[in-house]
Amino acid sequence: MSAFCSLQAFAVDPFEDFHKYGELSEEEIHELHQGEFLYGDMEFGFIASSGNTKNSSFKIKGNVYQDFKYWRNQFKIDGHYADETDTETGIEDETASRYFVSAKTSYKFGADNESFFVYGDYEADQFNGREYTTTFVVGYGNRLFEGRKNTVDFHLGPGVLVYRVDDETELLPHEERVERGHLLRASLQWERNISKRTRFNQDFSYEESLSGLGSRGISETALISQVIEGLSLKVSYTYRYNSAPEEDKRKVDTELGVTFVYSFD
């Protein structure tokens, strides 16, 4: 049994009418919601199966905004949990457990396309060898391009990185359980309205440690296309890279998702 759905969060979806994807730029959509306390979307996914083994998987993802005259805030959440139970032995094995939250506040100044931002995130992944990873960044943002079909936003700034290695990982003599350092973070977001019914999103962020703690990159590619009125199909691919993984861990994690998105007023 499986079910996928997306529900509007707290107020109005910033892309409330899918047929307007090719008619409004992202900036015009934000102007429509300027002054609202919260708007955005939340996506939920759940899969359950039974037989020789029982499997369950849960995914939650959200992107919520606050938009005011001089300030724009953005909050993201991304979580994935999966387990598997042997029906004969009753032994349950957790196969995935990852949770990520971030917040960014931007102060608009000078030209409309420029901003000063403060960004922070927190990630807990049970299977990457780290109990948690958190970053804090301040910097400069700019909309590099804005057209009727495309918008490209860029952010760059220095920050700090803190992570804790889990207790199950054996440390080398020179390593610490908690590591701290400085980093440089860059992010790029490209949105293209392919047609009146289809939208393409590309989000990319990269962090380079200035303290010898390695680098981290995240890329998310998504295509949302309307199937029937109020119902759309979303296909997404996520690529995560860590140049300095913990012992016996891989540098790359990938995730492919196919979900139905239900939009309503």
Side-chain angles (χ1 to χ4, degrees):
M1 177 181 66
S2 64
F4 295 94
C5 64
S6 178
L7 302 178
Q8 288 181 320
F10 314 111
V12 183
D13 190 321
F15 306 102
E16 55 187 11
D17 295 316
F18 282 86
H19 68 271
K20 292 183 179 179
Y21 278 172
E23 300 175 10
L24 297 177
S25 69
E26 186 190 63
E27 190 64 29
E28 289 172 322
I29 292 170
H30 281 298
E31 288 178 359
L32 289 175
H33 300 283
Q34 191 172 91
E36 292 186 3
F37 180 66
L38 283 175
Y39 67 95
D41 55 61
M42 293 291 292
E43 183 179 333
F44 301 91
F46 178 75
I47 297 176
S49 62
S50 60
N52 294 322
T53 59
K54 291 176 60 179
N55 301 292
S56 63
S57 178
F58 177 75
K59 182 176 178 63
I60 181 173
K61 193 170 186 179
N63 189 13
V64 180
Y65 291 93
Q66 293 176 308
D67 216 330
F68 306 107
K69 184 176 180 180
Y70 295 108
W71 293 91
R72 177 179 297 165
N73 304 320
Q74 182 180 19
F75 309 94
K76 290 185 177 183
I77 181 173
D78 187 359
H80 181 207
Y81 175 84
D83 63 26
E84 179 178 300
T85 302
D86 189 308
T87 54
E88 293 184 357
T89 64
I91 297 176
E92 181 177 330
D93 183 24
E94 188 175 332
T95 59
S97 178
R98 178 178 48 79
Y99 304 96
F100 173 87
V101 293
S102 70
K104 180 173 66 177
T105 181
S106 300
Y107 176 74
K108 311 168 192 176
F109 66 89
D112 292 338
N113 291 336
E114 295 182 293
S115 64
F116 170 82
F117 75 90
V118 178
Y119 169 88
D121 66 36
Y122 178 90
E123 180 182 44
D125 187 339
Q126 184 173 340
F127 294 94
N128 70 354
R130 295 181 180 180
E131 186 175 314
Y132 65 82
T133 302
T134 183
T135 62
F136 179 81
V137 180
V138 296
Y140 169 79
N142 198 323
R143 173 152 294 175
L144 301 180
F145 178 82
E146 180 176 3
R148 296 301 299 177
K149 294 289 186 179
N150 296 276
T151 57
V152 180
D153 292 305
F154 178 75
H155 295 83
L156 177 68
V160 294
L161 163 70
V162 180
Y163 69 81
R164 186 183 191 282
V165 180
D166 62 33
D167 294 331
E168 297 177 359
T169 301
E170 184 176 347
L171 299 178
L172 297 175
H174 66 280
E175 292 180 328
E176 299 289 342
R177 188 67 63 182
V178 178
E179 295 281 5
R180 300 176 178 85
H182 297 89
L183 60 82
L184 185 66
R185 185 179 195 273
S187 66
L188 185 73
Q189 178 178 350
W190 171 33
E191 178 178 296
R192 175 173 174 79
N193 296 318
I194 298 175
S195 69
K196 291 183 178 181
R197 295 177 178 269
T198 305
R199 174 170 59 96
F200 171 83
N201 276 353
Q202 175 64 58
D203 289 318
F204 175 79
S205 65
Y206 182 80
E207 299 170 357
E208 180 65 37
S209 172
L210 305 177
S211 307
L213 300 180
S215 57
R216 181 175 68 158
I218 302 176
S219 173
E220 182 185 63
T221 306
L223 186 69
I224 302 175
S225 182
Q226 184 182 22
V227 179
I228 58 176
E229 188 67 26
L231 184 66
S232 294
L233 181 68
K234 177 180 178 180
V235 180
S236 62
Y237 177 78
T238 304
Y239 179 95
R240 297 181 178 86
Y241 172 77
N242 180 5
S243 68
E246 302 307 320
E247 181 183 3
D248 298 327
K249 306 301 180 181
R250 296 182 178 181
K251 292 184 177 182
V252 174
D253 286 314
T254 62
E255 179 182 304
L256 178 65
V258 180
T259 61
F260 282 108
V261 179
Y262 178 60
S263 177
F264 58 90
D265 296 329

